[in-house]
Amino acid sequence: VYSKNGQKVAIIGAGASGLTCGYYLARTGYEVDIYEREPVAGGVLAFGIPEYRLPGEVLRREVDIICRSGVNILTNTEVGRDIGFKELRTMYDAIYIATGTQIPQKVGVPGENLKGVLPGINFLKDVKLYNNVDFTGRVVAVIGGGNTAIDSARTAVRLGAAKVMLLYRRTRQIMPAYDTEIEEALHEGVELHELVSPVRFVSDKRGNVAKVECMRRQLSNFDNKGRRNTHHIEGSNFFIDVDNVIIAVSQYADLPFVRKEEIGVTPWGTFIIDPDTQMTTMP
């Protein structure tokens, strides 16, 4: 779209998408600055994928190659806080937004804010970046059936948990996680509880989560993706004793540096784009 001679591009987000974009732009002669709010580059690669799947040294080597290609990565720099989005638009010829879906989705049941109830993506970040989680001897329930849920469960095992349970509202056959990852989690001792969903989280006298009240479910019709829906079975409630709960049902996008009335946004929080150019409604 642009002549590369003297053209500068800003990239918001140093995850897989932002790093890849920056690398190929730099290789073809553009000046590229990547703005990253975290202290390290890599996004989910850096803090969302456990060390046993993606060693930090491998990622650091890849990021170093990208930097040596001419990409300038500014960590600890959040657009909208440390530098304004309007300011970026005056400084650069184009902006590539690669912020990803970093906001954890809630399950929407009472007790979700109790101490000991952790969003999956935040839990993985605390383990990978800060190494400040200890689950020795604890009973952990993980809510969800995707890769973040499986990664959280397997990480809890490695942190010394005495028991790790995966609570999933559908059946194993239609879990979105990679099948090999599910197999390995089960081999490592993770218990899979199918057709179960949380109703509420119950605290002890100190305000820590102590139980999960669950309800059993049964398969029903198909959704628009071809997966079986489920509905709850009346009177099937039961309790599970826990020390911690990890919620890993989904994430969504949030773009606070752009005012919603200035740009077209879908109901899922992503930009409305031209299918041919990938351009947003904001030039």
Side-chain angles (χ1 to χ4, degrees), residues 168-183:
Y168 183 53
R169 69 195 311 268
R170 291 186 170 96
T171 61
R172 178 188 169 179
Q173 287 72 28
I174 47 180
M175 287 176 70
Y178 300 133
D179 193 58
T180 53
E181 296 287 329
I182 300 170
E183 280 287 340

Side-chain angles (χ1 to χ4, degrees), residues 104-124:
Q105 190 79 46
K106 293 181 176 292
V107 291
V109 301
E112 198 162 2
N113 295 321
L114 290 174
K115 287 184 288 186
V117 179
L118 313 169
I121 194 71
N122 294 2
F123 162 71
L124 292 171

Side-chain angles (χ1 to χ4, degrees), residues 49-56 124 128 147 150-156 158 181 184-185 188:
I49 300 179
E51 184 75 13
Y52 65 86
R53 284 183 59 198
L54 177 58
L124 292 171
K128 190 79 178 284
N147 288 314
I150 294 293
D151 284 345
S152 297
R154 297 183 68 192
T155 298
R158 285 161 173 76
E181 296 287 329
E184 290 175 8
E188 291 169 359

Side-chain angles (χ1 to χ4, degrees), residues 2 89 279-283:
Y2 293 100
R89 294 187 70 197
M279 186 75 74
T280 68
T281 60
M282 178 185 289

Side-chain angles (χ1 to χ4, degrees), residues 66-252:
I66 291 168
C67 290
R68 283 192 277 116
S69 74
V71 175
N72 179 37
I73 303 175
L74 298 91
T75 56
N76 291 309
T77 307
E78 182 175 348
V79 175
R81 184 192 65 187
D82 302 302
I83 187 169
F85 183 67
K86 287 184 178 180
E87 186 179 352
L88 286 189
R89 294 187 70 197
T90 64
M91 294 167 57
Y92 295 90
D93 298 286
I95 298 175
Y96 181 81
I97 297 179
T99 53
T101 53
Q102 300 295 329
I103 310 300
Q105 190 79 46
K106 293 181 176 292
V107 291
V109 301
E112 198 162 2
N113 295 321
L114 290 174
K115 287 184 288 186
V117 179
L118 313 169
I121 194 71
N122 294 2
F123 162 71
L124 292 171
K125 181 187 293 187
D126 286 343
V127 173
K128 190 79 178 284
L129 292 189
Y130 309 114
N131 194 30
N132 62 356
V133 182
D134 182 10
F135 277 174
T136 302
R138 302 182 76 79
V139 176
V140 180
V142 180
I143 314 293
N147 288 314
T148 300
I150 294 293
D151 284 345
S152 297
R154 297 183 68 192
T155 298
V157 170
R158 285 161 173 76
L159 291 173
K163 183 177 183 180
V164 180
M165 296 166 285
L166 196 65
L167 311 181
Y168 183 53
R169 69 195 311 268
R170 291 186 170 96
T171 61
R172 178 188 169 179
Q173 287 72 28
I174 47 180
M175 287 176 70
Y178 300 133
D179 193 58
T180 53
E181 296 287 329
I182 300 170
E183 280 287 340
E184 290 175 8
L186 296 176
H187 181 72
E188 291 169 359
V190 175
E191 298 179 8
L192 174 59
H193 296 252
E194 301 172 291
L195 295 168
V196 167
S197 61
V199 175
R200 64 183 174 117
F201 305 116
V202 183
S203 69
D204 59 18
K205 293 180 180 179
R206 295 173 295 175
N208 298 309
V209 66
K211 296 178 184 290
V212 182
E213 182 179 359
C214 298
M215 181 177 283
R216 300 195 186 280
R217 310 185 68 86
Q218 60 186 17
L219 295 171
S220 57
N221 60 338
F222 291 87
D223 65 15
N224 58 10
K225 294 181 180 179
R227 295 195 305 172
R228 293 288 295 273
N229 285 315
T230 64
H231 63 266
H232 64 266
I233 301 171
E234 291 292 343
S236 64
N237 295 41
F238 64 99
F239 289 88
I240 297 175
D241 292 329
V242 296
D243 297 303
N244 286 95
V245 175
I246 300 172
I247 297 174
V249 290
S250 187
Q251 289 101 238
Y252 63 93

